Amino acid sequence: MVNQKGGVGKTTTAVNLAAGLGLADRKTLLVDLDPQGNATTGLGITKDPSTRTIYHVLLEGIPIAEAIQSTEIAALKVVPSAIDLVGAEVELVTMQDRERTLKRALEPIRHEFGHVVIDCPPSLGLLTLNALAAANTALVPLQCEYYAMEGLAHILKTIGLVRDQLNPALHVEGIVLTMFDGRTSLAAQVKAEVQKHLGGQILTTIIPRNIRLTEAPSHGKPIMLYDLRSPGAIAYLELTKEVLTHGE
């Protein structure tokens, strides 16, 4: 789940897509690669200094299996993040083959999960490069606002460079339009513009602006467990179906 711009619904999409996959009985692992740790708390995992996190996996070499935690959804597990991951960008610089550190860490457990969802930080630094080097597909959440479009070409170019130089298997799963407010003409204009230029890459599901989606993380729950009948829950269940259909 990648976009160098913050506030585009990346973590919300990572948490709720992972939850949707888990509820569909697909064994899913969510890796929180963002130092803010919002995907961690959004799944009800308490931040505790003694908890093993993705930082310990990447920088201290502990097996990733030791950092995996359970969630309310039986088929969904999470590797939590913590604020000490902020220093990882600097610490990774000195490591050999640093862009593939996450890929190597995931290899021993990949066969255990049908899906591994990686929530990237809002930047194009070494953590995001690690995610793209480890992934098969990149899903790009795009907020339906003018400034969000400006960085889209940049992230698509970065994905192309990673595919050419680090990970030939990487491709774009699609662009998912988020925070869509049908009452504003700007949202409709952004949608029309993106579909005009990147029609084949736009996913059918559109995620609406929805107050229940913004409330759910404060309760440590994905939207399906917080309010299953809300427009946000329905949209993310549709997105889950669409992603599963792509995969099959």
Side-chain angles (χ1 to χ4, degrees), residues 1-3 10-11 14 31-35 118-123 127-129 131-132:
M1 207 67 61
V2 61
N3 192 323
K10 187 161 38 59
T11 296
V31 179
D32 189 353
L33 209 58
D34 187 343
I118 307 169
D119 185 29
C120 295
S123 70
L127 289 173
T128 298
L129 282 179
L132 291 173

Side-chain angles (χ1 to χ4, degrees), residues 29 52 63-70 77-80 109 112-113:
L29 179 67
R52 298 295 183 96
I64 197 165
E66 292 182 20
I68 292 175
Q69 294 201 31
S70 298
K77 310 291 183 191
V78 62
V79 177
I109 54 96
E112 296 177 28
F113 297 94

Side-chain angles (χ1 to χ4, degrees), residues 5-179:
K5 190 176 184 303
V8 297
K10 187 161 38 59
T11 296
T12 301
T13 301
V15 166
N16 290 305
L17 175 59
L21 292 166
L23 289 168
D25 283 332
R26 308 298 175 108
K27 289 193 74 177
T28 303
L29 179 67
L30 175 61
V31 179
D32 189 353
L33 209 58
D34 187 343
Q36 295 174 87
N38 291 335
T40 300
T41 53
L43 283 171
I45 308 292
T46 340
K47 291 179 182 174
D48 181 336
S50 64
T51 300
R52 298 295 183 96
T53 68
I54 193 64
Y55 174 86
H56 301 102
V57 174
L58 296 178
L59 279 307
E60 296 181 8
I62 73 155
I64 197 165
E66 292 182 20
I68 292 175
Q69 294 201 31
S70 298
T71 70
E72 278 189 77
I73 299 168
L76 175 61
K77 310 291 183 191
V78 62
V79 177
S81 177
I83 197 65
D84 51 7
L85 194 60
V86 168
E89 297 272 359
V90 177
E91 294 175 66
L92 279 167
V93 169
T94 59
M95 293 177 69
Q96 191 173 9
D97 202 19
R98 60 199 180 194
E99 295 90 355
R100 293 186 177 89
T101 308
L102 178 61
K103 183 181 175 70
R104 289 193 299 272
L106 285 169
E107 273 165 8
I109 54 96
R110 278 184 99 141
H111 66 282
E112 296 177 28
F113 297 94
H115 301 271
V116 178
V117 178
I118 307 169
D119 185 29
C120 295
S123 70
L124 290 178
L126 267 176
L127 289 173
T128 298
L129 282 179
N130 263 269
L132 291 173
N136 298 320
T137 65
L139 188 63
V140 183
L142 181 72
Q143 186 181 4
C144 291
E145 290 186 2
Y146 175 75
Y147 287 119
M149 283 187 63
E150 290 191 324
L152 183 59
H154 193 185
I155 186 63
L156 293 176
K157 182 181 176 185
T158 301
I159 292 168
L161 288 171
V162 171
R163 181 173 55 243
D164 293 342
Q165 298 174 23
L166 287 173
N167 182 5
L170 179 67
H171 68 274
V172 177
E173 172 80 24
I175 297 158
V176 57
L177 299 178
T178 61
M179 302 182 185

